[in-house]
Structures are given as structure tokens and as C-alpha cells.
Amino acid sequence: MTDEKSAIDAQQEVEQIIKTAKSLGVEVDETDVAHWLTAMAAVGTMEWEVDEDAGIYGHEITLLDFDKATLDRYRRIADIVQLPDLPNVETAISLAGSAAQGVIQLYPGDCDYFERVNIKSETQEEACRILADLMLDKALDKFEGPDYQLIEVKFGTWKTDVVKGSKHIQIGSPISWSPDEVKAGKMHVFRASGEPWEVEWEYGCLDPGWCKMDWVIAEPEKGRVVNASNMLDVTWEAPDGSITPLDGFIDPYFQEVYLEAESVPLFSKLTHHISPQALDEYVQQLTGEVYKYTHKYVNYGKAAKRMYNIFRLTGRHQAAALIRELFDEPTALLYQVWSLLDTVDDAGQPDSTIDHETLVQQTDELIQNVVEVCEGPLETEIVMALIRLRDDITGRVDLGDDWGTLITKSRSKTEQLVNEFFKVKLLGIPEVPEFLDSLEEQA
């Protein structure tokens, strides 16, 4: 009787999802939704598993959304961005964000990687120096080539206020290194007093903080370029086996797909040190980001991604299933267009080594995407701007300073369309307005 009641409840839930989706003008595959709800009901909140056939592992819920057909591609890109294993360094590379949810987020704009790096050494200071060498060696080894170009490295934390260029940077901020600064191993800033200061790369060892490396990577065979980032979660393992995170916190694993099964021993070792409250803390963090993207820096596309994760991790599966369907809608493709405009900007700079033919193909694809999805004045504005960008890349015209202006305007117009789409659809899902109202009460 219990099984029969559960089946009836599940069918009613599917019917309600379909009814709500129709009212939103969103297409739903009834069989797919039913399978997803069944799978979600069967997983635990903190469980992770290994897919032995694919050689991947991660949180059960995240693996449900991963498209294994993309594995070869993401492993090729990982070869460029990941830090290596050494006798005293263990690593575990994973995909995070949209790329890890490829089954539903069909139009990810970036390749976001997350790498756990465990350094064994006598002291924490030595671990920081090893990390500094690892990141510098990787940056210089993959500095530039026909298929990749380093964009930025974050390593270190400012211990005092500084002025860099025209920008005032507060104490506690991460240190951002340009490619030229990485190559030189130093940067020039001013102290708050106005005194010039030459900052050496090794300064980052005092407090590595938030470590991240960014590249533009070309895929000529697919005619596209993409931003690829690798965020590092670095730990120091002392001789007694104790584990200390260099940024003060070991990240949970709720949004990652690990690409190398041989790194399971490191992952398993580190998970023992993750806080028992990790799920609650992760949901709280995402909730704060939802508030930010719906009240301060409005971006309902980013808010939708975070609400999907919140709802699926907290048992609100009906709302999660509806948000899941939004990312399969044609208009969601604009999210990719908007994100890839930054990639075109980085790869289209005069000193870029990225193959221009690949960049032209990428821009043509963006134009086609906008034409397929948009209509009216905004479509014309975005398409004409993209055509001018393509003409600059091919050498037909020289935009000069207008290049940056066109990128900014095109991004703004596309963001406007993305916001309108996700805002209207999200607010039509009953649980979403209730959730957003609760954020107002907490603010």
C-alpha cells in the first residue's frame, strides 16, 4: 500500500510540474522529469559515489546532471589547467559550475575547474613556497600557444592597502597578477602613503588565500574559444598527518565532478576534514548569492543556477525540476552568448596568440545564436555589434578603442535579455517568490 501511495504521489508531482511548466510556456519531457525525481528521492544529502565505467566520481546529485559524452573534451582542457602530481603533492581535478551540469545546462559559457591540492612538507611555510613554485611553473609552462593563453593568476593576499594603477585595493583582497607580471615575477604598486613598492611573486607565500588561474583556450576543431579557470583548494599535510587548509577552509564537494578515479584516495582523506555542517553552510552561502543577484547586482540567470542547487539539496525537488527545465529553453542560450563575449574580448586582443580563424568561427556562431533566439531592435543591435567585432578580428576594420565599448554594450544588451527571461520564468514558479520573500525578511 505504501509503495502504491508513493507512486501516486510521484505521478501527481509530475503532473503538477507539467501544469506549471505549461503556464510558463516551458516544454517538459514527462519521462525525463519522472526519472529525475525518482533518482533525487533515492540519494542522500552528503553521499558521493564513483562511476567506475566513466572513471569519474562526485556527489550523487551532481553526477545525475553530468553529461559523460563531454568527458574527453574536458579532460583535454584539464591537461592545460591542472597542477601536476609530485612525490610531495597530491591533486584531484574536477569540473564545477555549469560544465559539471551539462545534461541540463546545455549552453555553459565557461569551463570552471576546481582542484584539490594537498602538499606534504615539514612546515606550513614550506608548503606555501611549494605552492608558489607550482603555480608559477604552470603559468610559465602554459603561458601562451596557438590553442591557449594565460589571462590572470590570483595568488596571495594583500596585507596592507595599496594602489595599483588607478585602483585602490583594500587589505585582505586577493592579489591579481597579469601575465606580464607573472612572467616578470613581480608587480609595481604604491603603498597607501604614496611610496612606490615592487612586490615580488614570493609575497604571496605570506598568505596564499584565494588561488585561481585563468586561460582562454581555443578548440579549432569545433571553431570556438572558451574561458577556462582552475580554482585551487590547497591543504598542507604535516608530518603527523594533520591537514590544514591554506585559505582556512576545506571546500565541500556538492558541485564537482572529479575526472580522475585514481585521485579517490586524496578526496576520501580530505572529506574526513569537511565540517559536519558543510551542507547547511553551503546552502547558506548560495542563499546569500541569490540575494546578491536579485537585489544588488541583478542577474537572474546566476540566481537561477544557485536556486536550482539550493532546492535540489534541500529536498524541494518540484521547484528544482522546474528551474532545471529553464536551462533547456532556447533563450537560455543567450547566457552562453553573454559569457562568451568576455572570451572573445580576451582572445581578440592585439597580443593574443589564439588562432584568429577559430575566433571568427566563434563570433559567427554567436551571431547565429542571437538571430535564432532574439527578435526586434535588441537583436539588430547585438548582431550588428558582433559583425563589427568580427570585422576587426579579420582585419577588415580597426575598431581601436571602440572594441571595448562594443563588447561592453553587447554584453549589457544580452544580459538584459537573459535577466528578463529568467526573472519572468522564475517568478512564475510558486516556490520562488516565497523563497525570495524569505530573503527579504532575513536581510
Side-chain angles (χ1 to χ4, degrees):
M1 190 68 178
T2 303
D3 289 343
E4 183 179 346
K5 184 178 184 302
S6 297
I8 293 173
D9 290 344
Q11 181 58 36
Q12 289 177 340
E13 191 172 22
V14 171
E15 290 173 357
Q16 182 58 51
I17 289 171
I18 293 173
K19 180 180 178 181
T20 304
K22 283 183 178 178
S23 71
L24 295 173
V26 174
E27 293 186 13
V28 173
D29 184 320
E30 181 175 347
T31 302
D32 177 65
V33 169
H35 286 166
W36 185 81
L37 288 172
T38 301
M40 289 297 294
V43 301
T45 55
M46 289 287 286
E47 298 300 320
W48 61 278
E49 64 177 19
V50 178
D51 182 330
E52 295 183 359
D53 292 336
I56 60 176
Y57 63 94
H59 192 279
E60 289 178 299
I61 291 176
T62 304
L63 292 185
L64 287 175
D65 288 339
F66 181 62
D67 180 8
K68 289 186 282 189
T70 61
L71 259 176
D72 287 344
R73 177 200 177 206
Y74 287 127
R75 281 174 171 154
R76 283 198 305 272
I77 297 175
D79 287 341
I80 295 174
V81 307
Q82 71 184 110
L83 298 185
D85 283 301
L86 298 172
N88 60 338
V89 178
E90 304 170 296
T91 69
I93 187 73
S94 69
L95 276 171
S98 303
Q101 297 173 344
V103 169
I104 62 159
Q105 297 189 26
L106 303 181
Y107 315 113
D110 301 322
C111 291
D112 297 323
Y113 290 84
F114 177 89
E115 187 171 15
R116 297 185 188 271
V117 181
N118 187 52
I119 301 173
K120 300 178 181 179
S121 62
E122 291 293 325
T123 67
Q124 184 169 335
E125 290 74 18
E126 183 183 356
C128 292
R129 289 195 297 272
I130 292 171
L131 173 63
D133 290 342
L134 279 170
M135 293 183 69
L136 185 60
D137 288 347
K138 166 57 68 172
L140 296 179
D141 181 53
K142 299 298 182 183
F143 189 82
E144 63 182 16
D147 297 340
Y148 58 83
Q149 181 172 321
L150 184 71
I151 298 300
E152 182 185 48
V153 176
K154 283 187 169 65
F155 172 61
T157 305
W158 289 111
K159 296 300 182 182
T160 182
D161 289 359
V162 299
V163 176
K164 185 177 182 183
S166 60
K167 185 178 179 181
H168 179 86
I169 304 173
Q170 293 185 329
I171 182 175
S173 301
I175 302 176
S176 297
W177 301 79
S178 71
D180 288 341
E181 289 167 343
V182 172
K183 182 178 284 188
K186 59 188 177 183
M187 69 169 67
H188 294 89
V189 300
F190 292 89
R191 298 182 187 273
S193 63
E195 176 188 359
W197 182 19
E198 184 177 272
V199 181
E200 301 286 341
W201 174 258
E202 290 74 17
Y203 177 78
C205 295
L206 295 176
D207 181 1
W210 183 37
C211 296
K212 184 169 175 280
M213 308 182 76
D214 289 273
W215 285 265
V216 167
I217 293 178
E219 299 177 279
E221 72 284 358
K222 296 183 179 295
R224 66 185 175 197
V225 291
V226 65
N227 273 107
S229 65
N230 188 12
M231 191 173 81
L232 310 177
D233 190 36
V234 189
T235 50
W236 164 54
E237 183 173 340
D240 64 2
S242 60
I243 302 288
T244 302
L246 295 190
D247 64 356
F249 179 72
I250 297 180
D251 287 84
Y253 52 86
F254 300 116
Q255 203 181 349
E256 301 145 22
V257 175
Y258 288 83
L259 303 179
E260 299 170 340
E262 57 268 27
S263 64
V264 164
L266 169 61
F267 177 83
S268 182
K269 175 168 60 177
L270 293 178
T271 56
H272 292 304
H273 298 271
I274 293 177
S275 166
Q277 289 77 46
L279 177 60
D280 292 339
E281 293 167 352
Y282 181 65
V283 169
Q284 185 176 6
Q285 174 200 334
L286 290 181
T287 300
E289 292 180 8
V290 170
Y291 182 82
K292 178 177 71 174
Y293 289 126
T294 54
H295 291 78
K296 297 181 180 179
Y297 310 102
V298 178
N299 184 323
Y300 276 87
K302 287 182 179 292
K305 292 185 177 186
R306 284 149 181 81
M307 278 190 271
Y308 172 66
N309 284 318
I310 291 170
F311 291 160
R312 68 180 183 154
L313 287 169
T314 55
R316 288 172 275 190
H317 297 158
Q318 188 169 318
L322 284 163
I323 295 175
R324 185 175 185 264
E325 295 301 321
L326 299 184
F327 293 108
D328 194 24
E329 288 294 293
T331 308
L333 186 146
L334 289 174
Y335 196 100
Q336 183 187 57
V337 174
W338 165 44
S339 178
L340 286 174
L341 281 167
D342 282 344
T343 308
V344 170
D345 189 18
D346 289 332
Q349 297 301 316
D351 59 348
S352 174
T353 60
I354 297 296
D355 175 60
H356 277 204
E357 179 56 35
T358 303
L359 198 53
V360 169
Q361 292 180 51
Q362 176 77 87
T363 309
D364 283 342
E365 183 176 336
L366 295 183
I367 293 170
Q368 182 178 343
N369 291 342
V370 174
V371 170
E372 288 176 356
V373 173
C374 301
E375 58 183 23
L378 273 181
E379 175 200 348
T380 303
E381 287 184 48
I382 297 171
V383 168
M384 291 307 297
L386 289 172
I387 289 173
R388 291 186 66 198
L389 291 172
R390 182 185 61 187
D391 286 346
D392 182 280
I393 295 166
T394 60
R396 184 170 177 266
V397 299
D398 183 359
L399 291 175
D401 294 339
D402 288 342
W403 170 277
T405 302
L406 270 179
I407 290 283
T408 301
K409 286 184 176 179
S410 301
R411 200 175 190 278
S412 176
K413 297 293 185 184
T414 311
E415 182 180 3
Q416 180 182 336
L417 292 171
V418 170
N419 264 323
E420 289 174 358
F421 168 76
F422 278 104
K423 182 177 181 179
V424 170
K425 302 301 184 186
L426 284 171
L427 294 180
I429 299 172
E431 291 88 344
V432 171
E434 296 173 9
F435 177 70
L436 295 179
D437 286 345
S438 72
L439 300 187
E440 292 279 8
E441 295 170 4
Q442 298 171 27

